[in-house]
Amino acid sequence: TLGAAVAAAQANGSGSDLILLSGDYSGVAVTIETPVEIYGGYASCSAPNATGKSLLTGTNGISPVLDIISTEVTLNGLHVQGATSLPPRVLYGGGIAVTNAAVYLRNMEISQGTAKLGGGIAVVGHSSVLVIYDQVEIHHNYAYEGGGIYVGEALMRASYQDLWIHHNIAERDSQTFEGGHGGGIYVTGA
């Protein structure tokens, strides 16, 4: 499983480990606290090249699919699909949560994430950085603030080459009447 591969990388010690994924994974709720590069879309782990994307489907909307904390992570060739639950039960990042970490995205799709802040991706903390290279699509995510991406007191850089952010929703919380800002991207405290 992806969780077992991340745990093995953490046990491996210093330096970044490379994890190659073949196939799709469901019920994913993985916390990453060690430097890794995760590449998906391989026919097998010994295949020389990726041929598509690996689908990582979340659990029941209680936690992010990938929760990245205080480390450096590269994600490539993945489709991160959250588990829609309304009202949102996840505070940050229905698909990917980045807390005081550096995350690099290429050839990615993030969809169907639900959270209070950052349905697709949430980037929080003064030392957090999200770098979006090319071929990234963020769509059909839901949050009160930042339907696609929420950036809170952090840095985001995007190449804007083959970057699609569409059909995301930021809706006002019907109980607190807060939110409703940034369907695609919401930046605060920058």
Side-chain angles (χ1 to χ4, degrees), residues 8-75:
Q10 189 159 350
N12 200 23
S14 65
S16 182
D17 285 4
L18 176 62
I19 298 172
L20 300 179
L21 299 179
S22 63
D24 299 331
Y25 300 83
S26 61
V28 177
V30 176
T31 299
I32 302 172
E33 298 179 278
T34 191
V36 292
E37 297 178 38
I38 302 173
Y39 287 73
Y42 288 83
S44 70
C45 289
S46 61
N49 297 310
T51 57
K53 291 186 180 110
S54 292
L55 176 64
L56 306 180
T57 304
T59 55
N60 56 5
I62 295 175
S63 60
V65 178
L66 300 175
D67 192 4
I68 303 168
I69 303 168
S70 301
T71 191
E72 188 170 318
V73 173
T74 297
L75 302 173

Side-chain angles (χ1 to χ4, degrees), residues 3-168:
V6 169
Q10 189 159 350
N12 200 23
S14 65
S16 182
D17 285 4
L18 176 62
I19 298 172
L20 300 179
L21 299 179
S22 63
D24 299 331
Y25 300 83
S26 61
V28 177
V30 176
T31 299
I32 302 172
E33 298 179 278
T34 191
V36 292
E37 297 178 38
I38 302 173
Y39 287 73
Y42 288 83
S44 70
C45 289
S46 61
N49 297 310
T51 57
K53 291 186 180 110
S54 292
L55 176 64
L56 306 180
T57 304
T59 55
N60 56 5
I62 295 175
S63 60
V65 178
L66 300 175
D67 192 4
I68 303 168
I69 303 168
S70 301
T71 191
E72 188 170 318
V73 173
T74 297
L75 302 173
N76 189 330
L78 303 174
H79 178 179
V80 176
Q81 188 175 69
T84 304
S85 67
L86 296 175
R89 294 184 282 177
V90 175
L91 179 57
Y92 291 112
I96 301 171
V98 179
T99 307
N100 294 315
V103 175
Y104 307 92
L105 304 179
R106 173 174 271 133
N107 187 28
M108 294 284 296
E109 184 175 350
I110 297 107
S111 68
Q112 297 179 16
T114 303
K116 293 180 180 177
L117 304 171
I121 304 170
V123 187
V124 296
H126 294 288
S127 59
S128 285
V129 178
L130 173 66
V131 179
I132 300 174
Y133 289 108
D134 53 3
Q135 300 175 10
V136 175
E137 183 176 14
I138 301 166
H139 64 95
H140 293 94
N141 297 288
Y142 175 94
Y144 296 142
E145 303 278 10
I149 303 172
Y150 174 88
V151 181
E153 299 182 357
L155 176 66
M156 180 183 116
R157 293 185 138 169
S159 73
Y160 302 108
Q161 180 177 349
D162 295 325
L163 170 61
W164 303 280
I165 301 174
H166 63 91
H167 291 94
N168 298 288

